[in-house]
């Protein structure tokens, strides 16, 4: 990377003509629940959701609620080049303060020593970021913050839709706050507190707290299940937040069938109002990150960017929130988040210009992660070597010569 006259291109280099295309840093999904097989203790070496993330340009993913041991393991395998997927940051299991949770995640913190025991255990298995989630007292949260500060770990927090819990997060010095505050309008006192706290925010408008989720707007106004990458890489999506209480996993078109439709004026006082407040945070200097919540691997980060645009945030500001801001939040901006000499080779190539319309970001042609180049439509590795993608488990069964893709396309067209 550098000026044309100052960079020596090897004669043997493979050259791609990118005339008319846009080259930009890989996307940083700052809140993507795309860990496979939650609660099963199974660690497959091939995760379709991670292929999907790369296909849509996500080269780094932070999962703030994932499997415990296998989540760290897959992250290490990806860094070693043994698995295909985005760079993987994880909290593993959350630090959860209420007993009786179905997945049995519970941490009793009655003293600073209890908190230190948690941070020691997390450090032993590779945990550099801890998720503080629904601890029942402020003292517990402060003990965990103190213990993490002593051990050099970050605390990522979620107020879980409770306004004053979110305010405590800002007051106590937590690194990041997940989700929006559950109010539509952020007044000046809150804006000033947010700015002076230096706490970064990942609003996840796609699952807007306090309002009808922004993802319902996407399903009402678009037909994402028709996209070829969805058909290729996304057999199921997060259906647990379905307002009709469907199964936890379903194809994207089923999730779209079961969404809520409402008048556009109600969206304007709903997620758009929150989106306008997020723009005010960005204008005030608060670090805003783009997070998809993993509602649908890969493609959902583009939905989140569109929801931010609905509140008036300019395309360049959204692209910063989807790239360099996340890298800065997690202390990785010396390696990731922009295309500069000395940084790691994470970049994407778009067919269209996202500065004209943020929807154009969803035109990823090529994805490069750690110097490996992939054709995003097929996820075949190209570039320095040709390595076709092997089949997913659902492609391995004998179809008796029948190609289901044309039939699927006809269904997508409503025929």
């Amino acid at each position: 990377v550098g000026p044309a006259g100052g960079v020596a291109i090897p004669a043997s280099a493979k050259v791609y003509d990118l005339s008319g295309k846009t080259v930009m840093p890989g996307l940083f999904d700052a809140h993507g629940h795309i860990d496979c097989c939650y609660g099963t203790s199974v660690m497959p070496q091939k995760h379709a959701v991670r292929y999907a993330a790369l296909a849509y340009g996500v080269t780094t993913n932070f999962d703030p609620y994932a499997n415990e041991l296998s989540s760290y393991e897959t992250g290490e395998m990806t860094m070693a080049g043994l698995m295909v997927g985005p760079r993987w940051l994880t909290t593993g299991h959350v630090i959860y303060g209420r007993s009786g949770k179905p997945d049995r995640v519970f941490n009793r913190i009655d003293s600073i020593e209890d908190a230190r025991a948690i941070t020691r255990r997390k450090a032993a298995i590779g945990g550099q970021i801890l998720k503080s989630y629904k601890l029942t007292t402020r003292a517990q949260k402060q003990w965990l913050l103190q213990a993490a500060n002593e051990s050099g770990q970050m605390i990522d927090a979620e107020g879980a839709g409770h306004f004053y819990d979110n305010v405590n997060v800002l007051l106590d010095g937590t690194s990041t706050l997940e989700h929006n505050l559950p109010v539509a309008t952020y007044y000046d006192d809150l804006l000033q507190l947010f700015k002076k706290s230096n706490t970064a925010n990942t609003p996840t408008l796609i699952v807007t707290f306090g309002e009808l989720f922004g993802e319902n707007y996407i399903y009402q106004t678009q037909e994402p299940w028709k996209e070829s990458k969805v058909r290729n890489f996304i057999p199921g999506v997060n259906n647990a937040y379905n307002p009709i209480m469907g199964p936890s996993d379903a194809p994207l078109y089923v999730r779209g069938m079961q969404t809520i439709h409402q008048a556009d004026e109600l969206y304007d006082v709903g997620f758009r109002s929150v989106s306008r407040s997020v723009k005010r945070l960005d204008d005030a200097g608060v670090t805003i990150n783009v997070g998809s919540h993993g509602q649908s691997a890969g493609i959902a980060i583009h939905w989140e960017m569109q929801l931010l645009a609905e509140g008036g945030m300019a395309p360049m500001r959204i692209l910063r929130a989807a790239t360099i801001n996340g890298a800065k939040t997690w202390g990785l901006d010396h390696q990731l988040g922009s295309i500069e000499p000395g940084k790691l080779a994470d970049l994407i190539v778009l067919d269209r210009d996202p500065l004209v319309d943020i929807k154009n970001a969803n035109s990823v042609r090529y994805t490069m992660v750690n110097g490996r180049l992939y054709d995003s439509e097929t996820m075949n590795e190209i570039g320095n070597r040709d390595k076709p993608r092997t089949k997913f488990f659902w492609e391995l069964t004998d179809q008796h010569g029948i190609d289901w893709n044309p039939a699927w396309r006809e269904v997508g067209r409503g025929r």
Side-chain angles (χ1 to χ4, degrees), residues 38-39 65 93 96 98-106 134:
Y38 184 79
Y65 195 153
H93 278 173
Y96 198 86
R98 303 177 189 180
S99 61
K101 201 167 184 294
D103 59 3
R104 303 188 188 91
V105 176
F106 174 58
K134 293 188 178 180

Side-chain angles (χ1 to χ4, degrees), residues 141-183:
K141 300 168 191 174
Q142 292 177 337
W143 282 328
L144 185 62
L145 278 165
Q146 179 182 339
N149 185 59
E150 293 171 353
S151 58
Q153 295 161 303
M154 291 179 65
I155 292 293
D156 176 69
E158 179 175 330
H162 298 286
F163 179 82
Y164 291 107
D165 278 1
N166 283 284
V167 171
N168 286 342
V169 167
L170 302 178
L171 290 172
D172 290 343
T174 305
S175 303
T176 55
L177 174 64
E178 302 299 326
H179 298 289
N180 65 294
L181 279 71
V183 292

Side-chain angles (χ1 to χ4, degrees), residues 92-365:
H93 278 173
V94 293
I95 310 304
Y96 198 86
R98 303 177 189 180
S99 61
K101 201 167 184 294
D103 59 3
R104 303 188 188 91
V105 176
F106 174 58
N107 302 91
R108 186 180 299 280
I109 303 178
D110 292 327
S111 67
I112 181 63
E113 289 304 322
D114 287 343
R116 287 169 177 155
I118 291 171
T119 58
R120 285 196 300 268
R121 180 182 62 80
K122 280 287 192 177
I125 59 176
Q128 298 175 319
I129 310 167
L130 282 65
K131 172 74 173 288
S132 175
Y133 190 24
K134 293 188 178 180
L135 296 177
T136 54
T137 69
R138 191 174 180 190
Q140 291 174 328
K141 300 168 191 174
Q142 292 177 337
W143 282 328
L144 185 62
L145 278 165
Q146 179 182 339
N149 185 59
E150 293 171 353
S151 58
Q153 295 161 303
M154 291 179 65
I155 292 293
D156 176 69
E158 179 175 330
H162 298 286
F163 179 82
Y164 291 107
D165 278 1
N166 283 284
V167 171
N168 286 342
V169 167
L170 302 178
L171 290 172
D172 290 343
T174 305
S175 303
T176 55
L177 174 64
E178 302 299 326
H179 298 289
N180 65 294
L181 279 71
V183 292
T185 304
Y186 299 179
Y187 293 105
D188 190 58
D189 56 346
L190 183 59
L191 292 175
Q192 291 186 51
L193 175 61
F194 229 126
K195 179 180 180 179
K196 293 178 180 179
S197 72
N198 289 325
T199 299
N201 180 223
T202 307
T204 62
L205 298 174
I206 200 166
V207 290
T208 316
F209 282 0
E211 301 291 344
L212 186 66
F213 289 177
E215 70 169 330
N216 292 284
Y217 174 77
I218 297 293
Y219 300 138
Q220 182 172 330
T221 57
Q222 302 178 27
E223 296 178 314
W225 49 87
K226 293 183 178 181
E227 295 193 20
S228 56
K229 292 178 186 177
V230 171
R231 296 194 300 269
N232 289 341
F233 306 117
I234 308 177
V237 301
N238 183 350
N239 198 39
Y241 293 83
N242 186 337
I244 302 180
M245 295 298 290
S248 60
D249 182 76
L252 182 54
Y253 73 89
V254 172
R255 176 64 183 88
M257 288 166 56
Q258 297 178 341
T259 191
I260 287 178
H261 287 224
Q262 66 177 23
D264 195 66
E265 292 81 359
L266 296 178
Y267 284 122
D268 197 54
V269 297
F271 84 85
R272 282 199 195 97
S273 184
V274 179
S275 185
R276 289 190 289 268
S277 288
V278 172
K279 180 185 182 299
R280 293 185 70 199
L281 288 177
D282 183 63
D283 292 342
V286 176
T287 299
I288 300 297
N289 300 316
V290 175
S292 71
H293 205 259
Q295 296 304 92
S296 183
I299 189 175
I301 195 170
H302 297 283
W303 301 345
E304 181 71 8
M305 288 192 282
Q306 293 169 31
L307 296 174
L308 287 168
E310 290 285 325
M313 191 180 290
M316 179 56 82
R317 300 301 300 177
I318 296 172
L319 293 176
R320 287 182 62 84
T323 53
I324 190 67
N325 284 9
K328 287 181 177 178
T329 297
W330 280 276
L332 298 170
D333 51 310
H334 62 297
Q335 294 181 317
L336 303 171
S338 59
I339 302 175
E340 299 179 61
K343 288 196 174 184
L344 298 172
D346 281 22
L347 55 88
I348 56 178
V349 177
L350 310 180
D351 286 335
R352 300 187 294 276
D353 185 355
L355 295 179
V356 174
D357 185 340
I358 198 62
K359 291 182 180 179
N360 289 343
N362 187 11
S363 64
V364 180
R365 174 61 54 189

Side-chain angles (χ1 to χ4, degrees), residues 34-56:
I34 62 170
D35 199 18
C36 176
C37 319
Y38 184 79
T40 63
S41 299
V42 172
M43 201 246 355
Q45 293 186 19
K46 189 184 180 86
H47 294 196
V49 287
R50 302 196 189 188
Y51 278 79
L54 286 179
Y56 279 99

